[in-house]
Amino acid sequence: MPGFRSAEIIAVGSELLTPHRSDTNSLFLTGRLNDLGIDVRSKAIVGDDRANLAALLRQALARADLVVITGGLGPTNDDVTREAVATALDRPLSENDELLAGLRARFASRGMTMPEINRRQAQVPRGAAPLPNSMGSAPGLWIDMAAGERGRAVVLLPGPPRELQPMFDQSVAPRLARESGGRRWRRRVVKLTGRAESQVDEVAQPVYGPFRDGEIPIDTTILAAPGQIELHLSAAGADLEAVDRALDEGVARLAAALVPHVFSVDGRSLEAVVGDLLQSKDLRIAVAESCTAGLVLARLTEVPGSSSWVVGGVVAYANEVKISALGVAPDLMALHGAVSEPVATAMADGVRVRFSADLGLSITGIAGPAGGSPEKPVGTVVIAIATGRAGSSVRTFRFPGDRRMVRQQATSAALDLVRRTLLASN
Ligand code: AMP
Ligand code: MG
């Protein structure tokens, strides 16, 4: 049995072509189809237009094993999916007695007579099998393609997500699983920080490029956000242990090539990794933040259980607060400026001592757009870690981008500096 390998999704509805509604069904369906080992190759949105939909369906069937169409199965005149599919597949519509009886019974159970227009919902293209709708009136349809026809199946699902989702899970997924021989996709994510996307790809591409030609081919994509890069590896197969082994090996090779920037290969966030390190070393941290104004502390405390390793912190935005709340010497500030390595070090020391923490972390910088100078342009951020012993460190960064990006990158860099400090101290 060849099974279903590839799918295309067509979302039908003129409202989906306005800025007011988005097609979320295809996101749900892509996730579910991927879990079933089926690759979604393309998706389209088309208005309530019979000829356009028929043309799109024919094209999709020429490429994919499975075409899923969502929406346009309602009773009104603008719902054209049934007619378009009948035209595209050259399978005339006829009334399905069982469906009609079901529709009548549905209305009767609510003390109503079925409006004549709902009769359209009992019309099915020749050879189509109805899929029951537990949440609404529009039945779905499964159409198996015959030998000689293109594609293997066309599935029509109602537009409302609350109807489509249970129908997919109850009637479509089990059938696809049965006919796909147990093939599934598996995924891994390698997360790193402290490098730009292009720097990561330069090192990673020669490593992951050959993965595509392995015995179990691995697809790799790179996703960038300010302060974090992710490499997503995915592979499919029926022998899940073999797929997992191939992915584990791929992840290990990438991580080895990208050390020390990789902070997680198991899905954990940077703050969770830092939290786990603090907990395993039985250390507590306090944070003094100027330009990030609490973003670091917010991320650290997003991790459940963080009260065992986070003491607290100070948002020392104004210079007076750096002096009064952290004990930074006014002379130091006057001599070097608030964004400087001596001041960052004094902030980290101050917060560590005043909060009786093992580690003090500080961040001071110029997020912009104003406040830059030739020596300290916008994006200059100084991060310091105080341990009270050897292992204290301070670093000056120059981050690109706007205010928001500078703050995000500074937050990630600060957390990463803690991670590296903890890994280096034994
Ligand atoms: P229909 O089956 O075309 O009558 O769609 C009924 C309703 O379902 C629409 O008004 C939308 O609110 C919703 N809907 C239709 N298609 C989608 C889609 N692709 N994603 C999310 N919601 C949808
Ligand atoms: Mg519609």
Side-chain angles (χ1 to χ4, degrees):
M1 191 158 44
F4 292 95
R5 291 294 177 93
S6 59
E8 299 205 8
I9 300 172
I10 303 174
V12 185
S14 297
E15 77 279 11
L16 303 172
L17 294 170
T18 70
H20 312 298
R21 278 290 170 89
S22 36
D23 159 34
T24 57
N25 285 342
S26 69
L27 302 178
F28 168 85
L29 290 168
T30 301
R32 288 294 203 268
L33 290 168
N34 287 350
D35 289 343
L36 289 159
I38 301 169
D39 218 9
V40 175
R41 300 274 167 80
S42 162
K43 54 185 192 174
I45 299 175
V46 62
D48 296 305
D49 182 299
R50 192 168 150 172
N52 272 350
L53 175 53
L56 266 175
L57 173 56
R58 281 206 205 90
Q59 290 163 17
L61 274 171
R63 295 182 295 243
D65 298 334
L66 174 71
V67 179
V68 183
I69 303 180
T70 85
L73 291 177
T76 57
N77 262 335
D78 62 0
D79 293 306
V80 297
T81 299
R82 276 176 296 266
E83 287 79 3
V85 170
T87 306
L89 303 183
D90 199 15
R91 292 174 179 234
L93 290 171
S94 62
E95 196 167 75
N96 178 308
D97 295 338
E98 226 173 290
L99 277 181
L100 185 61
L103 284 164
R104 288 221 160 95
R106 188 184 153 80
F107 280 94
S109 73
R110 291 192 266 152
M112 293 155 70
T113 314
M114 187 188 82
E116 211 37 35
I117 58 161
N118 281 82
R119 207 166 167 148
R120 294 185 62 218
Q121 294 185 297
Q123 295 274 326
V124 305
R126 191 179 63 224
L131 304 170
N133 187 339
S134 55
M135 306 295 289
S137 66
L141 295 169
W142 177 297
I143 304 168
D144 261 329
M145 304 301 285
E149 285 182 305
R150 291 173 180 235
R152 302 201 58 228
V154 177
V155 175
L156 315 186
L157 299 172
R162 58 188 284 276
E163 298 179 30
L164 171 141
Q165 295 181 6
M167 187 181 290
F168 186 87
D169 287 340
Q170 286 157 21
S171 307
V172 181
R175 184 156 177 183
L176 290 172
R178 224 171 25 245
E179 295 188 24
S180 292
R183 199 176 121 95
R184 291 271 191 287
W185 279 94
R186 298 283 211 186
R187 242 167 291 278
R188 296 280 192 284
V189 182
V190 176
K191 296 183 183 179
L192 48 131
T193 186
R195 299 270 102 170
E197 183 177 9
S198 53
Q199 293 174 309
V200 172
D201 207 43
E202 191 174 302
V203 176
Q205 209 283 332
V207 180
Y208 69 69
F211 291 178
R212 211 182 279 279
D213 306 317
E215 201 178 323
I216 294 178
I218 299 175
D219 289 343
T220 310
T221 50
I222 183 161
L223 277 75
Q228 180 162 322
I229 307 282
E230 295 182 1
L231 290 157
H232 288 219
L233 284 69
S234 51
D239 180 352
L240 292 182
E241 274 175 33
V243 172
D244 283 340
R245 267 197 310 277
L247 284 170
D248 287 341
E249 194 185 320
V251 165
R253 284 203 210 158
L254 275 173
L258 292 161
V259 135
H261 307 290
V262 174
F263 62 81
S264 147
V265 294
D266 57 9
R268 279 182 305 162
S269 62
L270 182 53
E271 49 273 25
V273 169
V274 169
D276 287 347
L277 282 168
L278 287 166
Q279 184 165 46
S280 70
K281 292 174 184 285
D282 199 20
L283 297 173
R284 300 203 310 155
I285 190 169
V287 190
E289 297 182 64
S290 183
C291 63
T292 50
L295 293 174
V296 172
L297 205 51
R299 276 180 65 177
L300 279 171
T301 54
E302 245 166 59
V303 184
S306 55
S307 59
S308 9
W309 57 85
V310 175
V311 185
V314 173
V315 175
Y317 211 58
N319 288 350
E320 307 89 271
V321 182
K322 295 184 179 74
I323 295 165
S324 64
L326 297 168
V328 177
D331 290 353
L332 203 64
M333 198 103 68
L335 192 61
H336 302 282
V339 179
S340 64
E341 297 197 348
V343 168
T345 303
M347 288 169 66
D349 273 328
V351 81
R352 187 186 76 82
V353 171
R354 293 187 178 207
F355 283 70
S356 306
D358 303 296
L359 243 72
L361 170 65
S362 75
I363 301 156
T364 173
I366 304 151
S373 68
E375 318 84 76
K376 293 176 188 173
V378 167
T380 303
V381 176
V382 189
I383 301 174
I385 292 179
T387 60
R389 316 170 254 119
S392 300
S393 59
V394 60
R395 260 193 74 182
T396 302
F397 296 83
R398 193 74 47 81
F399 296 119
D402 63 14
R403 185 174 176 83
R404 201 169 140 251
M405 286 173 67
V406 168
R407 282 156 55 99
Q408 280 175 335
Q409 291 171 96
T411 304
S412 291
L415 290 170
D416 196 50
L417 204 58
V418 176
R419 178 184 74 90
R420 292 182 193 220
T421 303
L422 292 170
L423 283 176
S425 76
N426 268 311

